[in-house]
Amino acid sequence: MTGVAPLIQLRNGAKLPALGLGTYGLTGDAGVASVRTALQAGYRLLDTAENYRNEETVGAGVAASGVPRSEVFVTSKFNREWHSVDGARKAFQASIERLGLDYLDLLLIHWPNPDQDQYVDAVRGLQALLEDGLVRAIGTSNFKPAHLRRVIDETGIVPDVNQIQLSPFHPREEDRAFAAEQGIVIESWTPIGGSGDGLRSDPVITEIARAHDKTAAQVILRWHHQLGLVAIPKSGDPQRQAENLAIFDFELTDDELAAISGLDRRGEGLADSDRQGH
């Protein structure tokens, strides 16, 4: 798989690009163009979901890019409606039909929805898809360590990936420690703090950015990379896409990493996956 980002080995053998493109909100012709330009710029990881209602857009962007399918790592996620062994297979089939693809590289359970209490069976369904060769890797999204521990204890299945809300405002040290212990790779959604510029304009970030002659977003994404996290920032702008990808030619010091991690807001504004989901 050729691309700008280095590759990370997953538990089940697939190799995950260390930086990807989030596609939430990218729809229609503009969305197709955004996916196409990202792939042509060197992205090789795309993240979509049933709930984004843009899998057709993402698939069309892959087709329009000229990049071989085998070089693109496509991820999707499914909703609570499909939290069963058979449901996971139905969700997979619906996703690949919308994407226009024959297989998925990574399929995730979008939220645990513990009120429904069926996420363990949903993981069993993912494992069956993996064993049948229909997906190359399996994972969870928004799972807390307690959710993951239950899955592992009851099934013996350890996901390749857990995708969670993570940024310097929410460094999620407990989640990262548990994932490292289990060999789970963490993907960070809203890695640069969401649509607002509060994180990017923080003096700690802007000072470090000036020192390295980089943008604030590049510094934040480099922080993710050096912590072993896979960030999936969303951007439809070709220039910003290219900037977000240009983080592999500099290095933050230990003091800089610690200063950025020190921006932790102690849970303020963090989505609670015990109480919300779809």
Side-chain angles (χ1 to χ4, degrees), residues 4-276:
V4 173
L7 301 176
I8 297 173
Q9 183 79 47
L10 298 180
R11 294 180 56 86
N12 285 301
K15 293 183 178 179
L16 178 71
L19 183 77
L21 181 75
T23 68
Y24 178 77
L26 300 181
T27 58
D29 291 343
V32 173
S34 295
V35 172
R36 174 179 55 79
T37 59
L39 290 172
Q40 291 173 343
Y43 285 82
R44 291 296 180 267
L45 169 60
L46 301 174
D47 181 81
T48 183
E50 171 191 1
N51 209 63
Y52 298 173
R53 297 180 174 85
N54 71 347
E55 288 170 305
E56 294 91 345
T57 296
V58 171
V62 173
S65 70
V67 176
R69 167 68 183 98
S70 60
E71 293 189 13
V72 185
F73 198 101
V74 180
T75 304
S76 195
K77 304 181 277 290
F78 62 85
N79 291 344
R80 64 187 290 148
E81 178 182 356
W82 312 110
H83 279 207
S84 65
V85 174
D86 291 339
R89 188 168 296 261
K90 291 176 181 176
F92 160 79
Q93 190 62 44
S95 277
I96 63 168
E97 287 176 5
R98 289 188 292 262
L99 284 156
L101 304 177
D102 296 326
Y103 67 94
L104 283 172
D105 296 278
L106 173 63
L107 184 59
L108 308 177
I109 302 165
H110 206 153
W111 292 85
N113 298 292
D115 61 309
Q116 182 175 261
D117 196 25
Q118 292 179 280
Y119 63 83
V120 174
D121 276 345
V123 171
R124 290 189 176 101
L126 287 178
Q127 181 69 17
L129 292 170
L130 181 70
E131 291 172 356
D132 288 346
L134 298 172
V135 298
R136 299 175 60 222
I138 59 173
T140 53
S141 180
N142 301 301
F143 276 46
K144 296 180 179 181
H147 304 137
L148 292 167
R149 170 55 67 193
R150 181 182 172 195
V151 166
I152 294 167
D153 287 348
E154 292 188 20
T155 70
I157 300 166
V158 182
D160 290 283
V161 169
N162 187 32
Q163 184 183 118
I164 58 175
Q165 181 184 4
L166 198 155
S167 76
F169 282 163
H170 306 295
R172 310 289 292 271
E173 291 184 6
E174 179 186 349
D175 300 75
R176 285 164 36 209
F178 182 85
E181 175 188 308
Q182 300 295 330
I184 300 169
V185 172
I186 288 185
E187 286 187 335
S188 309
W189 63 263
T190 61
I192 56 177
S195 57
D197 66 355
L199 178 57
R200 281 164 284 171
S201 62
D202 187 281
V204 169
I205 300 294
T206 57
E207 181 179 343
I208 294 171
R210 281 194 296 272
H212 289 276
D213 194 25
K214 290 289 184 178
T215 69
Q218 286 170 330
V219 165
I220 297 165
L221 292 173
R222 182 69 197 185
W223 173 86
H224 285 272
H225 180 63
Q226 287 186 223
L227 292 182
L229 309 168
V230 176
I232 45 173
K234 186 205 84 172
S235 178
D237 178 79
Q239 180 179 346
R240 195 166 295 117
Q241 288 175 350
E243 287 177 355
N244 288 347
L245 199 57
I247 65 163
F248 302 108
D249 60 351
F250 76 106
E251 190 164 347
L252 300 171
T253 67
D254 289 344
D255 286 346
E256 289 169 336
L257 290 171
I260 295 169
S261 297
L263 298 175
D264 188 355
R265 289 187 167 179
R266 308 298 176 188
E268 179 187 344
L270 188 67
D272 184 354
S273 59
D274 279 325
R275 300 178 180 274
Q276 64 189 88

